[in-house]
Amino acid sequence: QVDLVQSGGGSVQAGGSLRLSCAASGDTNSRNCMGWFRQAPGKKREGVAFIETDGRTTYANSVKGRFTISQDNTRSILHVQMDSLKPEDTAMYYCASNSFRRCGDGYWRPSDFPYWSQGTQVTVSS
């Protein structure tokens, strides 16, 4: 069992920055792969950024170069720094985890992640 409690988010103008955090507790083996998803109204939930136990990171093409995922040494705190935000980044953001050794590249299935945070809204105005 893993508990994920998210903080951060809010509203910002285009070009601005926000930082999301996620506090994780519980089974460490179920936190091998941790990352962030987002879901805009009327759209499917999509993977954004992921990090593995060895620190390897992967990003969706839409956020590459603008978002940075990180975690502390104990893998208990997950962050995503979101810079140069665009209106199309507006969505509910969730952190998630699973036991996979490798998170994958380019496409992440929400159904592969059994543990989720409560979500937080990010709104970017033009």
Side-chain angles (χ1 to χ4, degrees):
Q1 180 67 34
V2 174
D3 291 322
L4 301 172
V5 179
Q6 190 174 336
S7 60
S11 298
V12 67
Q13 289 191 326
S17 298
L18 286 172
R19 180 178 171 94
L20 303 180
S21 298
C22 182
S25 61
D27 179 26
T28 55
N29 289 332
S30 296
R31 292 187 265 145
N32 288 337
C33 168
M34 296 191 70
W36 297 91
F37 284 82
R38 67 186 181 188
Q39 187 167 18
K43 294 189 176 182
K44 292 182 179 180
R45 191 167 295 191
E46 63 173 358
V48 173
F50 295 84
I51 189 165
E52 297 163 357
T53 54
D54 61 1
R56 178 178 179 265
T57 58
T58 50
Y59 297 91
N61 287 335
S62 59
V63 306
K64 202 171 291 184
R66 300 188 298 118
F67 288 17
T68 305
I69 189 172
S70 62
Q71 63 185 12
D72 72 334
N73 290 339
T74 65
R75 292 191 288 126
S76 296
I77 305 292
L78 183 72
H79 301 289
V80 63
Q81 177 67 37
M82 305 184 293
D83 299 320
S84 302
L85 283 161
K86 304 176 181 180
E88 50 264 45
D89 294 318
T90 295
M92 282 290 290
Y93 284 73
Y94 302 87
C95 66
S97 76
N98 67 24
S99 61
F100 295 3
R101 290 292 180 183
R102 292 297 179 206
C103 294
D105 289 305
Y107 178 72
W108 303 272
R109 291 188 302 184
S111 60
D112 286 338
F113 290 80
Y115 304 107
W116 293 86
S117 65
Q118 78 276 22
T120 188
Q121 178 68 34
V122 169
T123 302
V124 185
S125 57
S126 57

